[in-house]
Amino acid sequence: MPIEGRHISYRYPNAAGEVFADLNFRMDGPGFHALFGPSGVGKTTLAKMLSGTIRGFEGTIADDGVRRVLYTYNLERLPGWSNVRAHFEEIAPLAGRRRMEELIETFGMEANVGSRFHRLSLGQQNRANLIRYLLQDFDLLIMDESLANVDEFTREKIILKVKILFPDRCFLYISHNVAEVAKFCSQVLVLRSRSRSPQLVAVQGCDHRESAESDPGLLERAMLEIVHAA
Amino acid sequence: MPIEGRHISYRYPNAAGEVFADLNFRMDGPGFHALFGPSGVGKTTLAKMLSGTIRGFEGTIADDGVRRVLYTYNLERLPGWSNVRAHFEEIAPLAGRRRMEELIETFGMEANVGSRFHRLSLGQQNRANLIRYLLQDFDLLIMDESLANVDEFTREKIILKVKILFPDRCFLYISHNVAEVAKFCSQVLVLRSRSRSPQLVAVQGCDHRESAESDPGLLERAMLEIVHAA
Amino acid sequence: AQKEKLEEVNYRLKWLYNVSAVGDLYAETRGYFTRNGLKVNVKPGGPERDALKELELGHAHFGVASADQVLRAAAKGAPIVVLAQLFQVNPLHWIYRPDQTVFSGGEELKGKRIGVTFGGNDEAILRALLARYGIAESQVTLFSVRYDYTPFYEGRVDFWPLYLNAQAVIIAEKLEKAGETYAFLSPDRLGVRFVANSVVTTREMVEKRPETVKRFLTALLEGWRDALDPRNQDQAIQVLLDADRETPEAVVRKQLPVTRELMLPAARIEFGKIDAVAWKQTEAILRSQNLIPGSVDVESLLFTFK
Amino acid sequence: MLHRRIYQFLIIYAIGLGLLLALKYGLNLSDYVIPSPDEIVRTCRTYGGPYLLAVLNTLAVAVLGHILSICLATVVAVIGRLTAWIGSFIRTAAYNIQAYPIVAVAPIIFILLGDGLQSRLLIAAMICYFPLLLSFIGVFSEPIREIEHFYESTGRMTWRLQVKIRAFENIQKLTTVIVGSATMAMVGTIVAEFIAATAGIGYSIRIALYQSDLAKILVALFLIGVGTSLYLVSLEWAGNALQKRLKSL
Amino acid sequence: MLHRRIYQFLIIYAIGLGLLLALKYGLNLSDYVIPSPDEIVRTCRTYGGPYLLAVLNTLAVAVLGHILSICLATVVAVIGRLTAWIGSFIRTAAYNIQAYPIVAVAPIIFILLGDGLQSRLLIAAMICYFPLLLSFIGVFSEPIREIEHFYESTGRMTWRLQVKIRAFENIQKLTTVIVGSATMAMVGTIVAEFIAATAGIGYSIRIALYQSDLAKILVALFLIGVGTSLYLVSLEWAGNALQKRLKSL
Ligand SMILES: Nc1ncnc2c1ncn2[C@@H]1O[C@H](COP(=O)(O)OP(=O)(O)OP(=O)(O)O)[C@@H](O)[C@H]1O
Ligand SMILES: Nc1ncnc2c1ncn2[C@@H]1O[C@H](COP(=O)(O)OP(=O)(O)OP(=O)(O)O)[C@@H](O)[C@H]1O
Ligand SMILES: [Mg+2]
Ligand SMILES: [Mg+2]
């Protein structure tokens, strides 16, 4: 299930300049991919296009076989009337209860799922939100800075676990951390400012997994390539 | 103007466990310091104690000579009735107009200050918010993940510039990026889980400045020390 | 130049412009006041208006008020005097359907369902009637009246209070159209003489500006007499229609003769005559029902120019 | 709290009364226009008891009417929140009905419902529900994206969930309006009694007005003020307790 | 838009009328209880013109009263938003005054203000302002921390800024309430005319009631409905334009 965008141009209503001018990209099949680029370059905009929130742009996005796209971002909140675990239970399929517990553990949230959402620290909120999306049925999950406020150690644990648990799904991870993106992602779509052409360059990441040894040389090369592209 | 906390214990009302139990810390004088630690460990809580938002904890915080503490966090918003520049102009002292322009430029916000806040990307919002705090009068500025959604390149530029512009002020920078904290901060207060004692360990950072060459060895040692401590 | 010499006074009516104010309007629009050197602003009253209060507050110089209002105010020390009495027979009557409600004398009120506005002067009149015929309150059913007639229309109440010269004409027409019969219970004929609307002013006015009062009263009574004169009927109706655009001419045509009948029940009666006996009876009724705190010296209240 | 509301009310009442009396003695008005303190005290002695009972009667109907109107407003707002035709239709209906003065509609209500407790309750609720409705529509039609996004995008959103989310997030505004509208319920009941009933303080006021007895009205207003304050205090207390509970969660 | 509101109103009116007529023929009520269609049409022919003028007259006062009550509610809410004693005092005062039925307070108003346009306007505004007040207090007393934090901690917060921030963030709720309260202004004016004026549709209704003429009342209600709808449509249009402008910023 490749996802492919062609000749995408877009300008926000009432905005001065265009965000995209003839943007092309392609993301192949399942895997943990990244969308990377400087702040304000259009990552969130592109993500919203993929998830169907933004329509009416020029160009096409073809995503045959991608039935269900979910978009999650770091400012989302859970309702306040019950604790986090109760919310999880409400939205997790019964069959997914074991997976739920597994995620809670990996995400380091055992001690906190008994709290209401608004009592959690920022990083805990990030994690609680992401867990509920992972309990859903999706083909592509776009995580827009979903772990931005989580510490690196926990983040790594989470990413590795996600790759193991959902090997056949497609993820698009938006993050500002070069090292992380280079190390864990399979394809890294580097979005660059409008003035540069092409506006998007794809770099191969290391797609590091728990089982495998990581090659520091490869990682460094990938990082350099990404930084250079951006 | 050292800032010193002694024997601080705190439990949120209605919360099960304590956040701090006999926490001690000391931060010396002006400089760019960091507060680091895993998500949920109590960084925001401590910051709120320093800024006076949370009171009624056990223990004392002595901050003689620190007249004015400002606390800023990454979810703040600017009002929507005028564009970002107009807001800046409203809250910047006339004498500070040059500084304002300088900050806008360093922060890479020239193209965006003409927009309303809600039309900015997340990282742009972070930056716009931080700029207005830097235009204020303060002795200690606590930045709680203030640049969490900004890309690394811009973030570095910002930190270096801030250190040049405000050499005599004290900053407490909360971030989840080990490398960044180790490289740019002077003292790194590493907050650890309640189970460990002492709950807070201070590590010396590299306090890198634009003018100076950075020593990769030193940086690596600092990073290791921090990771180890956390 | 002529106008500048006119003395301006305010005259507050009891109710909205309607047939009960025909003489007041007639005097105003046909120059009776002007001829007497007065410029009179005839202001309509209303449910929340009280001419007596306005007299005291100085907003009005003359006013129309019902006798129970006058006596109540006098009992509480309001410095007012009565100049003239508009109705010789109180227009307040009760309508009923003679084919459904057998009624030929006061005693027959017993066992009936009677509409009454609690607190209104129809309550005082009804209670006086009951007292007069020795009927205890438990022997009748009193029905609290609102401003819509549905309970009467639906036959749930036997007697419904209304003003004979105003609403009665309209209601009667509706019943006639539906082919129903109707008749009116007249308290006056049953021996309860409860005074209705009167022209009042303050004691201060009659003492300090007797000339003004005299000229006002002269013009007013003259206007009334002419308005009620059958020969001036068309002019009088026109004056009313000009002031009150909400009532159709056909209705007004029927209302005027009824009004005349109540104001000038016999040929020899002079318009505006103050019926001291009726006033005393009214005072007695109010006192017996504890509606005024003490007795009122009626004689000193009723003013006549010597 | 109780204490405060009541003595604040007393201050307000005293100011109002003081003004009236100042006017009386300033302009040398008779007891008919503005009653003397003496008469007010006397009226209070005579009518204080029965009027108190009347106020309690009214208060009971007001509480019922208040509950009714909260339900009514919730239902209308939940439907009116929809952007579809039916939502706008319901809003139009709600607004238009409200635009009719109750005095004009009352005869029709009486024809339809007779003049029992029902009519009284309906009139009270109609007067009280509209302010509630306005706030409810405001609250229920404004999305809370950060919370709703998940349910929308996973196809889990139901109208009940949406209403729950929006109500929960705006709980403070809603309690403010519900508490405040208690006074409208009181007014509504009094007006209903004024035009229809033969009991309750509204009925007493009507009689006092016919008799132009301001002393009685002042006594009635005093008791209404006390009664309303008590009702408000209890609602406020309940509202605070609720919010405290929700916050402590 | 205009189109929609008006025909929705027509549908509602038709439903109401249909119900009444169904009742009439169902229960075989005579023409004086519920007028025949014929009579309604006749009344409309005769009184449609003058009543339309009366409604326009009323509408003009209602607009004034509406503006007045928006100002009033803003002032009271801005003070009542304070947590200090004065805030709670103002709220108590506002609530208690509202708890008094206008009919009971009207005599006092007339004593104090006489019978000009002032009294009418004041009564209209008093009836209309309370629903506004409730929402305004709700909106103005709830802090918006993410925005206010900066101004609070830099000592820049003024009450005007605070009000501005909260009003701006809640602009949708506020416009909903302001638009909706237009109908209350209309009602308030009609009630004021009902008890005090010699012009306007409220006065006509009073006379129609006095004449027990339901046909006239039905015509009046129709015209009031049309008038109110038009006013609502214009306000809604203005509100939408405002919000669109703010959003496009
Ligand atoms: N609603 C909007 N109206 C106008 N311009 C917008 C709007 N939203 C975003 N923009 C602009 O479009 C550009 C891309 O925004 P977008 O949010 O996609 O950036 P981003 O890559 O996600 O940045 P960040 O990493 O800071 O989140 C930015 O310059 C931003 O100012
Ligand atoms: N209002 C609250 N009530 C109860 N517990 C709270 C409250 N706020 C925070 N906590 C808990 O206190 C602990 C410390 O929270 P704090 O926000 O200080 O963490 P943090 O170090 O800033 O984390 P992060 O990096 O995720 O922002 C967390 O475990 C959190 O769940
Ligand atoms: Mg973004
Ligand atoms: Mg934090």
Side-chain angles (χ1 to χ4, degrees):
Chain A
M1 50 172 192
I3 300 171
E4 191 164 11
R6 288 181 154 280
H7 308 303
I8 294 175
S9 297
Y10 184 65
R11 175 208 299 267
Y12 277 101
N14 301 309
E18 282 182 316
V19 182
F20 303 130
D22 194 29
L23 178 86
N24 294 284
F25 70 90
R26 182 188 164 93
M27 187 162 54
D28 282 305
F32 201 84
H33 308 303
L35 183 56
F36 184 85
S39 164
V41 81
K43 300 181 294 299
T44 299
T45 307
L46 185 57
K48 285 185 178 166
M49 288 173 172
L50 285 169
S51 67
T53 319
I54 291 181
R55 291 165 203 272
F57 49 87
E58 265 176 62
T60 54
I61 294 181
D63 51 0
D64 303 334
V66 183
R67 276 178 313 110
R68 190 148 196 189
V69 182
L70 289 183
Y71 169 76
T72 173
Y73 59 108
N74 65 333
L75 301 180
E76 283 182 81
R77 292 191 286 133
L78 269 65
W81 59 76
S82 51
N83 65 35
V84 172
R85 179 184 286 279
H87 281 297
F88 286 170
E89 282 168 359
E90 200 135 297
I91 50 97
L94 262 182
R97 282 294 152 87
R98 261 206 44 221
R99 171 148 296 179
M100 181 181 105
E101 296 302 336
E102 212 174 338
L103 287 173
I104 291 175
E105 203 205 305
T106 314
F107 279 57
M109 290 289 288
E110 305 95 319
N112 304 303
V113 284
S115 296
R116 310 275 147 166
F117 187 78
H118 73 271
R119 296 193 174 282
L120 298 180
S121 82
L122 220 55
Q124 290 165 346
Q125 293 187 341
N126 280 183
R127 287 175 274 164
N129 182 43
L130 187 54
I131 289 177
R132 31 174 214 173
Y133 276 93
L134 291 173
L135 292 171
Q136 305 307 305
D137 175 31
F138 60 85
D139 293 311
L140 166 61
L141 177 64
I142 307 175
M143 297 180 275
D144 194 350
E145 314 210 19
S146 289
L147 296 173
N149 309 102
V150 180
D151 58 283
E152 291 181 1
F153 176 75
T154 312
R155 220 151 59 194
E156 290 199 0
K157 254 178 69 181
I158 290 173
I159 294 174
L160 288 173
K161 186 72 174 190
V162 164
K163 288 194 200 194
I164 294 173
L165 289 179
F166 306 95
D168 54 345
R169 311 284 181 87
C170 185
F171 294 88
L172 188 59
Y173 183 66
I174 301 182
S175 155
H176 281 299
N177 195 318
V178 195
E180 185 177 72
V181 161
K183 182 170 176 189
F184 295 102
C185 295
S186 153
Q187 289 167 45
V188 181
L189 306 181
V190 182
L191 204 51
R192 326 191 288 181
S193 78
R194 267 130 296 182
S195 56
R196 295 172 69 183
S197 177
Q199 218 182 318
L200 190 142
V201 181
V203 172
Q204 197 61 38
C206 298
D207 199 8
H208 175 76
R209 278 155 206 274
E210 204 161 16
S211 49
E213 278 289 284
S214 76
D215 175 346
L218 257 177
L219 176 61
E220 196 141 319
R221 228 182 41 225
M223 277 174 68
L224 271 179
E225 213 176 320
I226 292 170
V227 170
H228 193 247
Chain B
M1 47 171 194
I3 299 171
E4 191 164 11
R6 288 181 154 279
H7 308 302
I8 293 174
S9 296
Y10 185 65
R11 175 208 299 268
Y12 275 101
N14 302 309
E18 281 182 315
V19 182
F20 303 130
D22 194 30
L23 177 86
N24 294 286
F25 69 90
R26 181 186 165 94
M27 187 161 55
D28 284 304
F32 201 83
H33 308 303
L35 184 56
F36 184 85
S39 164
V41 81
K43 301 181 293 299
T44 298
T45 309
L46 186 57
K48 284 185 177 165
M49 287 174 171
L50 286 168
S51 67
T53 319
I54 291 181
R55 291 166 204 272
F57 49 87
E58 264 177 63
T60 54
I61 294 181
D63 53 358
D64 304 334
V66 183
R67 275 179 313 111
R68 190 148 196 190
V69 182
L70 289 183
Y71 169 77
T72 173
Y73 59 108
N74 64 334
L75 301 181
E76 284 182 81
R77 293 190 285 133
L78 269 66
W81 59 75
S82 50
N83 66 34
V84 171
R85 178 183 288 280
H87 281 297
F88 287 169
E89 281 168 359
E90 200 136 294
I91 50 96
L94 262 184
R97 283 294 153 88
R98 262 209 39 225
R99 171 146 298 179
M100 182 181 102
E101 296 302 336
E102 211 174 341
L103 287 174
I104 291 175
E105 202 204 306
T106 313
F107 279 57
M109 290 289 287
E110 306 95 320
N112 306 302
V113 285
S115 296
R116 311 275 147 165
F117 187 77
H118 73 271
R119 296 192 175 281
L120 297 181
S121 82
L122 220 54
Q124 289 165 346
Q125 293 187 342
N126 281 183
R127 287 175 273 164
N129 182 42
L130 187 54
I131 289 177
R132 28 173 217 173
Y133 276 93
L134 290 173
L135 292 171
Q136 304 307 305
D137 176 30
F138 60 85
D139 293 310
L140 166 61
L141 177 64
I142 307 175
M143 297 180 274
D144 194 350
E145 315 212 18
S146 289
L147 296 174
N149 309 101
V150 179
D151 58 282
E152 291 181 0
F153 175 76
T154 312
R155 221 151 60 194
E156 290 198 1
K157 254 179 69 180
I158 290 172
I159 294 175
L160 288 173
K161 186 71 174 190
V162 163
K163 289 202 215 186
I164 294 172
L165 288 179
F166 306 95
D168 54 345
R169 309 285 181 86
C170 185
F171 294 89
L172 188 60
Y173 182 66
I174 301 182
S175 154
H176 281 298
N177 195 318
V178 196
E180 184 177 74
V181 163
K183 182 170 175 190
F184 294 102
C185 295
S186 154
Q187 290 168 44
V188 180
L189 306 181
V190 182
L191 204 52
R192 324 191 288 180
S193 78
R194 266 130 296 181
S195 56
R196 297 172 69 181
S197 175
Q199 219 183 318
L200 190 143
V201 181
V203 173
Q204 197 61 38
C206 298
D207 200 6
H208 174 75
R209 278 154 206 274
E210 202 159 19
S211 48
E213 276 291 284
S214 75
D215 176 345
L218 257 179
L219 176 60
E220 196 142 319
R221 226 179 45 223
M223 275 173 71
L224 270 178
E225 213 174 323
I226 292 169
V227 170
H228 193 248
Chain C
Q2 170 70 27
K3 264 196 178 157
E4 274 170 31
K5 273 187 256 157
L6 294 181
E7 189 179 352
E8 185 166 349
V9 290
N10 291 332
Y11 179 34
R12 174 67 77 186
L13 300 179
K14 177 161 178 351
W15 194 249
L16 309 169
Y17 292 142
N18 73 350
V19 72
S20 297
V22 61
D24 305 315
L25 294 166
Y26 199 84
E28 183 192 34
T29 51
R30 312 215 65 176
Y32 287 79
F33 291 128
T34 330
R35 266 176 260 139
N36 282 279
L38 293 173
K39 180 181 185 317
V40 178
N41 304 315
V42 180
K43 296 179 165 185
E48 301 287 333
R49 286 280 153 62
D50 186 336
L52 298 175
K53 286 182 180 164
E54 297 207 0
L55 284 180
E56 266 200 64
L57 288 163
H59 298 327
H61 303 89
F62 301 96
V64 178
S66 62
D68 61 321
Q69 274 181 311
V70 171
L71 290 167
R72 245 191 272 267
K76 289 187 179 173
I80 45 170
V81 292
V82 176
L83 296 176
Q85 179 179 330
L86 293 178
F87 288 96
Q88 298 303 321
V89 175
N90 194 323
L92 192 102
H93 286 54
W94 272 264
I95 191 171
Y96 63 97
R97 296 181 175 89
D99 53 345
Q100 288 168 26
T101 306
V102 180
F103 182 76
S104 53
E107 300 78 9
E108 281 178 285
L109 282 174
K110 204 178 282 178
K112 298 288 191 309
R113 291 173 65 84
I114 308 166
V116 59
T117 316
F118 287 111
N121 54 17
D122 53 328
E123 184 186 1
I125 295 173
L126 182 69
R127 288 188 191 284
L129 272 175
L130 295 178
R132 189 179 170 90
Y133 291 95
I135 302 170
E137 193 183 328
S138 58
Q139 292 173 298
V140 291
T141 310
L142 298 186
F143 186 93
S144 177
V145 158
R146 320 176 286 261
Y147 46 73
D148 80 306
Y149 292 80
T150 315
F152 176 71
Y153 288 155
E154 293 176 345
R156 285 189 279 139
V157 180
D158 299 317
F159 293 92
W160 194 267
L162 40 58
Y163 285 95
L164 192 65
N165 64 327
Q167 299 130 301
V169 172
I170 300 166
I171 308 301
E173 198 180 87
K174 286 181 194 279
L175 292 175
E176 259 165 39
K177 242 194 237 167
E180 295 184 26
T181 60
Y182 60 89
F184 298 102
L185 174 161
S186 163
D188 194 84
R189 251 180 250 149
L190 293 177
V192 172
R193 306 196 57 211
F194 195 93
V195 180
N197 294 357
S198 308
V199 180
V200 289
T201 189
T202 55
R203 231 166 249 294
E204 193 186 352
M205 279 295 286
V206 290
E207 277 161 15
K208 298 211 174 126
R209 295 164 71 181
E211 266 314 298
T212 311
V213 176
K214 200 169 222 160
R215 277 185 283 143
F216 174 80
L217 195 57
T218 310
L220 185 75
L221 295 180
E222 215 173 303
W224 265 105
R225 271 194 292 269
D226 290 351
L228 292 177
D229 190 330
R231 281 169 296 179
N232 298 331
Q233 175 149 325
D234 287 338
Q235 290 95 311
I237 286 170
Q238 198 48 52
V239 163
L240 253 182
L241 290 177
D242 287 345
D244 167 23
R245 295 176 188 284
E246 307 268 350
T247 314
E249 185 180 338
V251 171
V252 176
R253 275 197 183 280
K254 287 188 189 162
Q255 284 175 330
L256 193 56
V258 182
T259 308
R260 186 187 301 133
E261 195 63 23
L262 295 166
M263 290 180 167
L264 297 168
R268 60 199 154 63
I269 287 185
E270 190 187 341
F271 179 84
K273 190 194 95 165
I274 298 178
D275 183 345
V277 180
W279 274 92
K280 282 183 186 144
Q281 192 186 352
T282 308
E283 194 258 2
I285 290 171
L286 292 180
R287 199 150 31 83
S288 69
Q289 295 180 20
N290 276 329
L291 291 174
I292 45 177
S295 62
V296 177
D297 177 9
V298 174
E299 296 291 351
S300 74
L301 196 59
L302 309 177
F303 185 82
T304 36
F305 283 100
K306 308 276 145 47
Chain D
M1 190 52 207
L2 173 74
H3 186 181
R4 192 203 251 191
R5 265 249 188 241
I6 297 289
Y7 84 73
Q8 282 179 339
F9 163 69
L10 291 180
I11 292 174
I12 291 158
Y13 188 84
I15 291 174
L17 196 62
L19 256 157
L20 275 182
L21 290 178
L23 203 73
K24 174 185 172 68
Y25 293 114
L27 296 180
N28 197 14
L29 300 173
S30 75
D31 287 358
Y32 178 70
V33 181
I34 295 173
S36 62
D38 194 48
E39 190 186 340
I40 297 175
V41 172
R42 221 173 329 113
T43 308
C44 192
R45 284 235 188 80
T46 321
Y47 292 97
Y51 274 24
L52 186 62
L53 289 179
V55 167
L56 292 179
N57 183 330
T58 302
L59 201 55
V61 180
V63 173
L64 269 183
H66 196 199
I67 294 170
L68 186 64
S69 53
I70 291 172
C71 301
L72 214 64
T74 309
V75 171
V76 176
V78 163
I79 305 176
R81 144 199 78 103
L82 302 173
T83 42
W85 194 88
I86 178 74
S88 118
F89 183 72
I90 287 290
R91 271 195 313 255
T92 305
Y95 285 17
N96 270 302
I97 289 173
Q98 183 56 31
Y100 295 151
I102 214 71
V103 280
V105 184
I108 298 173
I109 292 180
F110 294 136
I111 290 177
L112 295 177
L113 284 188
D115 47 356
L117 183 68
Q118 294 160 44
S119 302
R120 236 166 113 190
L121 213 55
L122 184 67
I123 293 174
M126 274 181 68
I127 289 181
C128 165
Y129 105 108
F130 197 67
L132 286 168
L133 175 68
L134 285 183
S135 298
F136 282 21
I137 283 193
V139 161
F140 287 144
S141 50
E142 198 169 325
I144 300 171
R145 299 219 186 284
E146 318 93 75
I147 298 186
E148 293 178 18
H149 173 76
F150 173 79
Y151 299 100
E152 294 287 0
S153 56
T154 58
R156 279 209 163 68
M157 188 58 99
T158 61
W159 68 264
R160 288 171 55 195
L161 183 61
Q162 195 178 55
V163 167
K164 192 173 172 187
I165 290 173
R166 294 178 188 177
F168 195 89
E169 287 289 307
N170 288 287
I171 198 76
Q172 191 184 325
K173 291 195 188 80
L174 291 180
T175 46
T176 304
V177 177
I178 289 176
V179 170
S181 69
T183 65
M184 300 289 295
M186 196 71 185
V187 164
T189 313
I190 295 175
V191 169
E193 288 166 352
F194 193 87
I195 54 184
T198 51
I201 195 72
Y203 172 70
S204 307
I205 287 180
R206 189 167 76 137
I207 292 180
L209 276 178
Y210 269 116
Q211 300 174 339
S212 40
D213 195 336
L214 197 56
K216 277 188 190 168
I217 292 180
L218 288 174
V219 172
L221 291 187
F222 180 79
L223 290 172
I224 292 173
V226 173
T228 310
S229 295
L230 287 177
Y231 186 37
L232 278 176
V233 168
S234 10
L235 279 178
E236 241 166 26
W237 174 86
N240 283 343
L242 175 76
Q243 284 194 38
K244 202 173 272 170
R245 233 190 81 75
L246 291 180
K247 265 188 205 139
S248 82
L249 286 175
Chain E
M1 189 52 208
L2 174 73
H3 186 184
R4 191 202 253 193
R5 263 245 189 248
I6 296 289
Y7 83 74
Q8 283 178 340
F9 163 69
L10 291 180
I11 293 175
I12 291 157
Y13 188 83
I15 291 174
L17 197 62
L19 254 155
L20 271 183
L21 291 177
L23 203 73
K24 175 185 172 67
Y25 294 114
L27 298 180
N28 200 11
L29 298 173
S30 63
D31 284 358
Y32 54 70
V33 181
I34 296 175
S36 62
D38 194 52
E39 190 184 338
I40 297 175
V41 171
R42 221 174 327 113
T43 308
C44 191
R45 284 236 189 80
T46 322
Y47 291 96
Y51 274 23
L52 185 62
L53 289 179
V55 167
L56 291 180
N57 183 331
T58 302
L59 201 55
V61 181
V63 173
L64 268 183
H66 197 197
I67 295 170
L68 187 63
S69 53
I70 292 173
C71 301
L72 213 64
T74 309
V75 171
V76 176
V78 163
I79 306 177
R81 145 199 77 103
L82 301 173
T83 42
W85 194 88
I86 179 73
S88 115
F89 183 72
I90 287 291
R91 271 195 314 254
T92 305
Y95 285 18
N96 270 301
I97 289 172
Q98 183 57 31
Y100 295 152
I102 212 72
V103 279
V105 184
I108 299 174
I109 291 180
F110 290 129
I111 289 180
L112 296 177
L113 283 189
D115 58 338
L117 182 67
Q118 296 159 44
S119 307
R120 240 165 110 190
L121 213 54
L122 184 67
I123 292 175
M126 273 182 69
I127 288 181
C128 166
Y129 106 107
F130 196 67
L132 286 168
L133 175 67
L134 284 183
S135 298
F136 282 22
I137 282 193
V139 161
F140 287 146
S141 50
E142 197 169 326
I144 299 171
R145 300 220 186 284
E146 319 91 77
I147 298 186
E148 293 178 17
H149 174 77
F150 172 80
Y151 299 100
E152 293 288 359
S153 56
T154 58
R156 278 207 165 68
M157 189 58 99
T158 61
W159 68 265
R160 287 171 57 194
L161 183 61
Q162 196 178 56
V163 167
K164 192 172 172 188
I165 289 173
R166 295 179 187 177
F168 195 88
E169 288 289 308
N170 287 287
I171 198 76
Q172 190 184 325
K173 291 194 188 81
L174 291 180
T175 45
T176 303
V177 177
I178 288 176
V179 170
S181 69
T183 65
M184 301 288 297
M186 196 69 185
V187 164
T189 313
I190 295 175
V191 170
E193 289 166 351
F194 192 87
I195 56 184
T198 52
I201 196 71
Y203 170 72
S204 303
I205 288 180
R206 164 117 229 156
I207 291 178
L209 281 176
Y210 188 72
Q211 298 173 345
S212 180
D213 196 336
L214 197 55
K216 275 189 187 170
I217 291 180
L218 289 174
V219 172
L221 292 186
F222 179 79
L223 291 171
I224 292 173
V226 172
T228 310
S229 296
L230 287 176
Y231 186 35
L232 277 175
V233 168
S234 10
L235 278 178
E236 241 165 27
W237 174 85
N240 283 343
L242 176 75
Q243 284 192 39
K244 202 173 274 173
R245 232 189 84 73
L246 291 180
K247 266 189 204 138
S248 82
L249 285 176

